[in-house]
Amino acid sequence: MRSRLAPIAAIAVTAMGLALAGCAGGGADSGDTTKLVLGSWRTEDIAMWEDEILPAFHEANPDIEVEFAATDTNDYNAAIQSQVAGGNAPDLITCRPFDVNRAWIEDGYFDDLTGLEALDSFTPTALAAWTGADDAPYCVPVASVLAGFYYNKAIFDELGLEVPTTQAEFVDVLQAVKDNGKYTPLALGSADGWQLAYNVLYSMGPNYWKGEEGRLGLIDGTQKLTDPDFVAAFQAVDDLKPYLPSGFEAITYDDMGQLFNLGQAAIIPDGSWNINQLTSTGLDVGVFGAPVPEAGDQRYQQEMPDMAIGLSADSKNKEAAKVFLNWLTSDDFLSIFVNKLPGFFAMTTDAPSYDNPLAQEFSDLKTDAELTPRLALDRLSAGTPPLDDEIWVALQEMYAGTLTPDTATAQLQADLESWYVPAG
């Protein structure tokens, strides 16, 4: 889900920030050991960090001790803001992507990391979610998530289907499943607008608006959502409607997963974060990337930056913190992190290997593809109405038949122009 800026001044949050100050404040020197605190919203990863990752770091760096201080994700933004305001910021801050982090950069939360050796391991696109208005890097990327189309290999074998690579082949596969009548072609509902955007439009669309060319074109104002490439992307999403299950308007994201898990649907569009759930019933599952419009077209792959780690401007232990930041691109760190969290991927140019076969298939989707994040999360949703939220609703209305691809994109462009001043 898209992260939002949270207010600083709520009394409860302030109280929480004060409570955290005693346990999550910046680290300190203790004899020959330098202590660091790493703030994070990933409470579900506490055991992984404490039992696997940090022992590996401490073994390689016995003079630096790192404490993993996690706050619930819903409270994290406000907690960090409160800690910074109170002078108790952790030495290392886990960075949200795009607008939240850009605001934190503007407020002086981080040190500029220009020149840090670890950053040589990333492309400019991988770093973009955590750069400031000055284009300087402020966080070291840790993980991304991907989107694709999971498919039931047994159904494909039974019906003699091949993995599609073009939009026409994709529709042919869906039609063949529909004609057979035994299975639902596509496990997709429209009750949850976010997943129509994140798992369908932002996955298929980059093949039409040419990834970063289209996304950055909207940001700098050289392109509009009413341009033919964007309208064609919405049309490709609308063309899937004949292959959805009966009553798709009421089918939720969880319902979709259950339909696929039970072996009743051939294909489901979903994110890599759902690998474990979609294979939990023992199905033999593969994944393919969004098909291109025409054979031979460049393929684009959605890679959404999820988390990075930056250096607090107020840290008293910056040299030790930089040792930790550089270690984040090591094989020791990446091999533990990505294999303990199947569905999360390294953003380094040299990808590690993945123990989970489906995670490896997902990672292979990046090969020969140009990578691009979700369309509307960088600057285009920082005002009101936020473009990302508007797209969720527009896609639902398109599937309900009250909007067409032409009227949906026209409405979205008009709403965007009501507040957004292009960055160009």
Side-chain angles (χ1 to χ4, degrees), residues 82-100:
S82 178
Q83 290 167 354
V84 170
N88 297 301
D91 303 279
L92 298 154
I93 300 173
T94 302
C95 309
R96 301 282 198 186
F98 294 122
D99 291 336
V100 171

Side-chain angles (χ1 to χ4, degrees), residues 9-17:
I11 294 175
V13 169
T14 301
M16 177 181 66

Side-chain angles (χ1 to χ4, degrees), residues 170-184:
F170 188 28
V171 172
D172 287 346
V173 165
L174 295 171
Q175 187 63 50
V177 178
K178 185 175 182 178
D179 291 344
N180 175 268
K182 188 175 178 180
Y183 306 103
T184 296

Side-chain angles (χ1 to χ4, degrees), residues 18 34 40 76 131 154 190 259 269 331 334 362 367 379-380 386 397-398 404 422:
L18 293 172
T34 300
S40 171
Y76 178 73
T131 56
S190 63
L259 189 64
D331 290 339
L334 293 175
F362 250 115
T367 304
R379 287 165 274 196
L380 302 175
E397 292 184 358
M398 194 172 73
T404 67

